[in-house]
Amino acid sequence: MRDVLPEQIPAWERLEGTARRLAHGCGYREIRPALLEETRLFTRSVGEVTDIVQKEMFTLVRGDDSFSLRPEGTAGTVRAYLEAQYHKQAPFQKLYYIGPMFRYERPQKGRERMFTQFGVECIGSTDPRLDAEAIDLAAGFFEALGIPRADGRGGGLEVRLNSMGDGADRDRYRDAVRAFLLPTIAEHCELCRSRFEKNPLRVLDCKNPRCQELNAGAPRILDFLSAENRAHFDAVRASLADLGRDSRVDAGIVRGLDYYTRTVFELHYPKLGARSALCGGGRYDHLVRDLGGPDLGAVGFAIGFTSTLLVLEELGLLGELAAKPADVYVAALDAALAREALQVCAELRRGGLSAVFDAEGRGLKSQFKQADKGRHPLVVVLGPDEHARGAVQLKHMARGEQREVPRGELAAAARAALGS
RNA sequence: GUGAGUGUAGCUCAGUCGGUUAGAGCACCAGAUUGUGGUUCUGGGGGUCGCGGGUUCGAGUCCCGUCACUCACCCCA
């Protein structure tokens, strides 16, 4: 398990802050769904035969009850939506979340058992402009962090788009793929032969060169879309163009979760290699109905913070981030002034400043080193001579200037020194 | 779940053919200045060599097991 340590918090706050700002800009409101759900919620929504449900859930069984840590955010969000009765009062809801997800698998670069996702779920409409808006929001998130757009040579961020059609389209497509593969399936790799049985569409994703040759000329899902779904897909692309957003149709995108319909998309940073997808999402027009509500359209995405941070690190975009230190470091010349140090800190805090004191018994020189290393802009020195006069020394570290100020004026003087 | 790799100081790592007291750089602490930071110099502290077992006169080094982490596959954020 990986912890987020204080040194990394500025980077995380930047991701969270960017996510919130952009989501709010599109009218999304934050929701914090439960981390623990009934296992049945995920088997019903994500799908019985998906990898997530079959082998990646952390599940706790107590008697007849079975609960699982959420492996993704959409199911819980829709469950919360229905439980809050939004579908009766105000069915159109734009909701976003930032929080941990859990999948039991072998960790590797960009993949962890506990990871954080920023996701949005727009429930209550099938308007294709919302698909485009969501894609633009996701891409805008990465751009706001400084990740460049695709440059056509494998650098930058790529938007890949596809449509999976609706249930009927997909059934016809699956039959066509099966018919296409049947004559050559014996020549495919072992893995593909087993995939052919349970999910022939996955054969098309195989990276084996021989299999790819055999897959050339395979039917494309886009050719099997109903007129209505085709129109929806075209409208999404037109809206993306209206937003000035380039996208590439990638017939290979077949989202792994059962609830997806029509629009599916991924955002990739190809230089990351095997694990290049930074964001995945799409439309799930029947999930609300499948979970017991009315048949409402919905679209959403999820962005992984782990891989986002990986990209930012690779691009050197995290270097300058540092936590803000306390305004004042209070140094005491000897142990007799220890109590005064605490009092002075309290006075400064009442004056609206942050302040810290030495608690390791350091000498004055060492306290200055600490103040310097901690990048505290101001140091207050408590000495016996000043104490006798009811005063303290106030030093501005960057300027190297120091002067004596009466105790009673310290907070005001410190504020003034900081402000200038 | 499958395959491979790596575990030595806080961090990055060296450690010969198995041989005495396990090293370096950085970081940390102290002094050089008995009331003042960043540079410099000098000195210092710190390691059950992941853990357990085995071989051996002797194991950081070889063997077995185990745990953790990393990378890849599967799949995905």
Side-chain angles (χ1 to χ4, degrees):
Chain A
M1 297 298 147
R2 199 167 61 94
D3 305 299
V4 181
L5 299 174
E7 289 77 10
Q8 301 155 337
I9 290 295
W12 279 77
E13 286 182 336
R14 189 160 149 210
L15 296 200
E16 291 164 2
T18 303
R20 293 209 156 84
R21 180 168 56 81
L22 296 182
H24 292 153
C26 290
Y28 282 88
R29 296 192 298 160
E30 183 175 8
I31 184 169
R32 303 189 186 185
L35 271 61
L36 198 61
E37 297 275 3
E38 284 187 44
T39 302
R40 228 163 66 88
L41 173 68
F42 300 115
T43 57
R44 284 171 62 188
S45 58
V46 173
E48 298 271 5
V49 298
T50 57
D51 279 4
I52 287 182
V53 165
Q54 286 185 327
K55 56 180 192 182
E56 293 178 3
M57 287 206 294
F58 285 97
T59 296
L60 298 94
V61 175
R62 288 287 182 278
D64 292 335
D65 295 326
S66 178
F67 302 98
S68 294
L69 290 169
R70 61 182 188 185
E72 56 96 54
T74 301
T77 301
V78 172
R79 198 252 328 125
Y81 169 98
L82 289 170
E83 232 167 84
Q85 309 289 332
Y86 282 131
H87 57 294
K88 295 181 181 163
Q89 288 271 13
F92 184 73
Q93 289 289 330
K94 284 176 146 182
L95 306 168
Y96 80 90
Y97 53 83
I98 296 171
M101 307 293 164
F102 306 85
R103 292 188 200 172
Y104 184 70
E105 20 174 17
R106 292 284 290 269
Q108 61 182 275
K109 184 159 71 174
R111 184 170 78 188
E112 298 163 305
R113 287 175 173 167
M114 174 174 158
F115 56 101
T116 300
Q117 280 188 340
F118 159 47
V120 313
E121 314 291 352
C122 178
I123 303 171
S125 169
T126 59
D127 191 324
R129 289 177 301 170
L130 294 169
D131 306 40
E133 182 183 72
I135 292 168
D136 188 56
L137 172 55
F141 170 77
F142 295 110
E143 283 170 11
L145 293 170
I147 297 174
R149 292 190 180 201
D151 62 7
R153 300 190 309 277
L157 190 74
E158 273 180 25
V159 178
R160 303 182 189 170
L161 189 64
N162 195 22
S163 174
M164 299 183 63
D166 228 320
D169 301 344
R170 223 178 310 166
D171 289 345
R172 287 191 297 135
Y173 176 60
R174 186 174 290 121
D175 290 344
V177 168
R178 194 177 277 123
F180 168 81
L181 291 172
L182 194 57
T184 60
I185 190 63
E187 297 173 53
H188 276 76
C189 67
E190 192 180 342
L191 195 55
C192 280
R193 291 201 297 274
S194 73
R195 282 171 174 157
F196 181 72
E197 299 304 326
K198 54 176 197 188
N199 187 356
L201 300 189
R202 292 226 55 86
V203 175
L204 303 181
D205 291 344
C206 187
K207 283 138 200 147
N208 182 313
R210 174 66 185 144
C211 294
Q212 287 191 336
E213 278 177 46
L214 294 168
N215 289 339
R220 289 159 48 95
I221 176 77
L222 292 175
D223 298 326
F224 288 77
L225 297 185
S226 65
E228 185 193 349
N229 290 340
R230 178 79 222 181
H232 183 93
F233 186 62
D234 291 341
V236 172
R237 300 188 66 198
S239 292
L240 277 173
D242 291 343
L243 295 171
R245 182 67 62 186
D246 288 332
S247 64
R248 192 159 70 77
V249 175
D250 181 346
I253 298 177
V254 184
R255 311 252 73 240
L257 315 187
D258 280 2
Y259 53 63
Y260 281 109
T261 57
R262 304 209 270 189
T263 311
V264 286
F265 63 91
E266 293 177 355
L267 270 57
H268 282 259
Y269 189 78
K271 278 188 177 160
L272 275 191
R275 188 60 198 74
S276 68
L278 298 179
C279 169
R283 189 159 270 290
Y284 45 96
D285 284 332
H286 304 305
L287 181 58
V288 177
R289 177 198 69 195
D290 293 346
L291 292 179
D295 195 14
L296 294 174
V299 63
F301 66 72
I303 287 172
F305 272 18
T306 309
S307 33
T308 302
L309 285 166
L310 229 46
V311 176
L312 293 180
E313 202 173 328
E314 184 173 296
L315 292 173
L317 294 170
L318 295 176
E320 75 286 1
L321 292 177
K324 189 176 178 289
D327 301 315
V328 186
Y329 184 99
V330 177
L333 235 152
D334 58 60
L337 294 159
R339 292 174 65 185
E340 185 174 359
L342 177 62
Q343 291 166 1
V344 167
C345 280
E347 284 166 25
L348 288 164
R349 290 164 191 157
R350 277 194 294 273
L353 297 160
S354 51
V356 295
F357 59 87
D358 168 58
E360 295 174 282
R362 292 173 182 275
L364 185 64
K365 185 187 183 68
S366 177
Q367 291 183 68
F368 264 92
K369 281 187 178 172
Q370 284 297 114
D372 186 53
K373 198 164 48 179
R375 300 188 312 160
H376 301 287
L378 300 177
V379 171
V380 166
V381 182
L382 309 178
D385 301 346
E386 291 85 347
H387 180 72
R389 295 192 290 270
V392 301
Q393 295 289 333
L394 176 63
K395 180 164 186 174
H396 190 288
M397 291 294 274
R399 288 193 203 135
E401 292 169 4
Q402 179 173 321
R403 68 191 174 94
E404 186 166 315
V405 294
R407 266 282 290 274
E409 298 168 21
L410 175 58
R415 273 201 308 271
L418 274 180
S420 56

